[in-house]
Amino acid sequence: LLSKETHTRKNITMIHQLSRELIRRGSSSARTSATVSFRPAAAAAGRCFSSGGSIHWSEIPMGPPDAIIGLTEAYKEDMFEHKVNVGVGAYRSDEGAPYVLPCVREAESILMGQNLEHEYSGIAGDPDFVKLSLEFVYGTDSKPLIEKRVAAVQTLSGTGGLRVFGEFLARHGHKHIYLPNPTWGNHIPIFQNAGLEVRKYRYYDTENSDLDYDNMISDIKDVPEGSCVLFHACAHNPTGMDPTMEQWAELSQITKDRKIMVFFDCAYQGFASGNAPQDAGAIRMFIEEGHNLALVQSFSKNFGLYGQRVGALSVVTANDAEKAAVESQLKITIRPMYSNPPRHGARIVKTVLSDPRLTNDFIDQCKGMADRINDMRIKLRGTLEEVGSTHSWEHITKQIGMFAYSGLQKDQVLALRDNHHIYCTLDGRISMAGGTSKKIEDMAKAI
């Protein structure tokens, strides 16, 4: 190629320049293109340099913005002084500021004094954290825990646990999963990307702003035997409307009779009612009635550890052999996905839940957050009625947890945003944790 008879010195210099540039740009084929034939290299370089686009990435379409992240960005760009963001699922103080639990601050101080290393955790995470997480949700007197037949791993908060379990199901014979309609928006792409068909069961009566229990029961009775059905353990997102314990008992019997695999998503334990055992009531009932269920936990909301990605995934099995097999497959799923989970957030939760005094502090502080949210519900409903709304707002105080499913339609939500600088999601979900005493009246008047 580089013989004097074939190429001038100028051509040789150009070939070397093109070769170096293509290799610098990271193309694995650049070495071949530049050294085997001048013309392919030159053509590739022409496409790279003259069009202003990359030969590799120019055809990639722009994806739609995430609904929640896009909402936050729009809020930040709004220069109105009294704007309100009640769209994001994160707790705020009554001054509208991010809130760090004092027990979390104390746990961080304790950890700082221990001069801890930053080695990798195992694939399954911190075993002490996992143990305390299971006791927190199942109870220390839980029969499956005592019998040591619960397979469990630390996960990247609830989202990571959902994805791991979705892929676990897809790897082991499941083709679909049933979700409530409506459900948390991220549930659907998580399970679709894990390779499962998403099917839905009716859950909410929008006309009456209430749980659509009769249709829910009817749909679950039609679920094929052996299917996986996801339930929100408490504080259903986005509706805030949960079954009663009597209704949970009926659901337990129906799913047991139909050999349904029950999968609980528990994102708000202690944060919903202010009482952690109460918020885990449905889970513990299903366990007592013999379900070998699966469960994902998140510590983002109740501990305020949004950015630490702390969670756990557990599967109740029948015996030691099943536990070992399930745990091994969960690790096989995790290893190529993210290898192992982060350590700092898990250490914070472990420090709090392993210390009786800090645990009591956490219970009090978590209840304080739940009480403020419930207070915002009462104030919003009362103010709406005071300012003259003739619509019934009873559902706001019947619902529980972080969100109020207002019943506002998309055009009304956009009018709130455009005309009153109040930001909530397009389905009318309002984060009561984002409301403040000073802004409730403005919100009510705008609505």
Side-chain angles (χ1 to χ4, degrees), residues 205-422:
D205 179 355
T206 54
E207 184 176 343
N208 297 301
S209 298
D210 205 349
L211 182 70
D212 192 4
Y213 183 68
D214 290 341
N215 283 322
M216 177 186 182
I217 288 293
S218 175
D219 287 352
I220 289 176
K221 284 181 177 178
D222 288 338
V223 168
E225 284 194 1
S227 297
C228 182
V229 173
L230 182 143
F231 293 126
H232 295 226
C234 63
H236 179 273
N237 179 2
T239 71
M241 198 69 73
D242 293 342
T244 65
M245 291 309 292
E246 291 75 19
Q247 291 169 335
W248 277 124
E250 185 177 5
L251 284 164
S252 172
Q253 190 59 53
I254 291 169
T255 51
K256 192 173 182 181
D257 290 345
R258 297 198 56 74
K259 300 178 178 63
I260 287 171
M261 178 192 291
V262 174
F263 180 29
F264 276 108
D265 184 354
C266 185
Y268 300 96
Q269 187 188 356
F271 191 82
S273 68
N275 183 316
Q278 178 179 318
D279 290 345
I283 297 167
R284 296 182 184 189
M285 173 194 290
F286 276 61
I287 291 291
E288 288 172 3
E289 296 186 358
H291 288 267
N292 289 338
L293 55 79
L295 164 71
V296 64
Q297 296 168 262
S298 168
F299 292 92
S300 294
K301 305 295 193 299
N302 50 9
F303 273 77
L305 295 171
Y306 304 99
Q308 297 298 339
R309 315 313 296 144
V310 190
L313 170 65
S314 54
V315 179
V316 179
T317 67
N319 51 55
D320 286 345
E322 280 188 6
K323 174 193 171 183
V326 169
E327 210 161 86
S328 71
Q329 293 296 334
L330 292 176
K331 290 178 183 179
I332 288 170
T333 304
I334 289 169
R335 177 59 173 155
M337 188 185 295
Y338 57 84
S339 192
N340 46 65
R343 304 189 72 176
H344 184 62
R347 283 169 167 168
I348 291 172
V349 174
K350 178 174 70 173
T351 301
V352 172
L353 293 183
S354 63
D355 184 307
R357 180 184 61 80
L358 285 176
T359 299
N360 287 333
D361 289 346
F362 160 73
I363 290 169
D364 291 341
Q365 291 157 20
C366 192
K367 186 176 187 304
M369 292 190 290
D371 287 347
R372 195 188 84 76
I373 291 172
N374 289 331
D375 187 50
M376 287 297 102
R377 289 184 180 279
I378 293 167
K379 286 183 177 178
L380 179 59
R381 177 185 171 184
T383 308
L384 282 163
E385 293 167 352
E386 287 172 9
V387 298
S389 175
T390 57
H391 184 74
S392 173
W393 297 103
E394 181 184 4
H395 57 283
I396 289 181
T397 50
K398 284 176 64 178
Q399 295 165 358
I400 192 173
M402 179 173 282
F403 303 110
Y405 207 49
S406 67
L408 292 169
Q409 301 302 305
K410 181 179 178 180
D411 59 335
Q412 296 169 324
V413 169
L414 292 174
L416 277 179
R417 188 183 307 177
D418 296 339
N419 302 332
H420 302 281
H421 309 274
I422 295 171

Side-chain angles (χ1 to χ4, degrees), residues 134-266:
L134 300 187
E135 290 174 351
F136 180 64
V137 68
Y138 293 117
T140 54
D141 59 347
S142 172
K143 186 177 180 182
L145 288 185
I146 293 170
E147 295 175 351
K148 301 184 184 303
R149 52 185 176 88
V150 181
V153 293
Q154 181 186 336
T155 59
L156 304 182
S157 197
T159 303
L162 290 163
R163 179 59 185 262
V164 168
F165 192 65
E167 293 209 10
F168 172 82
L169 289 176
R171 286 169 179 262
H172 299 284
H174 285 262
K175 304 297 183 184
H176 55 260
I177 187 169
Y178 284 82
L179 307 179
N181 185 26
T183 191
W184 178 48
N186 215 19
H187 273 150
I188 296 168
I190 285 171
F191 291 116
Q192 287 176 336
N193 290 348
L196 297 172
E197 175 195 350
V198 170
R199 300 178 181 178
K200 298 178 181 179
Y201 60 87
R202 286 171 287 184
Y203 188 85
Y204 191 71
D205 179 355
T206 54
E207 184 176 343
N208 297 301
S209 298
D210 205 349
L211 182 70
D212 192 4
Y213 183 68
D214 290 341
N215 283 322
M216 177 186 182
I217 288 293
S218 175
D219 287 352
I220 289 176
K221 284 181 177 178
D222 288 338
V223 168
E225 284 194 1
S227 297
C228 182
V229 173
L230 182 143
F231 293 126
H232 295 226
C234 63
H236 179 273
N237 179 2
T239 71
M241 198 69 73
D242 293 342
T244 65
M245 291 309 292
E246 291 75 19
Q247 291 169 335
W248 277 124
E250 185 177 5
L251 284 164
S252 172
Q253 190 59 53
I254 291 169
T255 51
K256 192 173 182 181
D257 290 345
R258 297 198 56 74
K259 300 178 178 63
I260 287 171
M261 178 192 291
V262 174
F263 180 29
F264 276 108
D265 184 354
C266 185

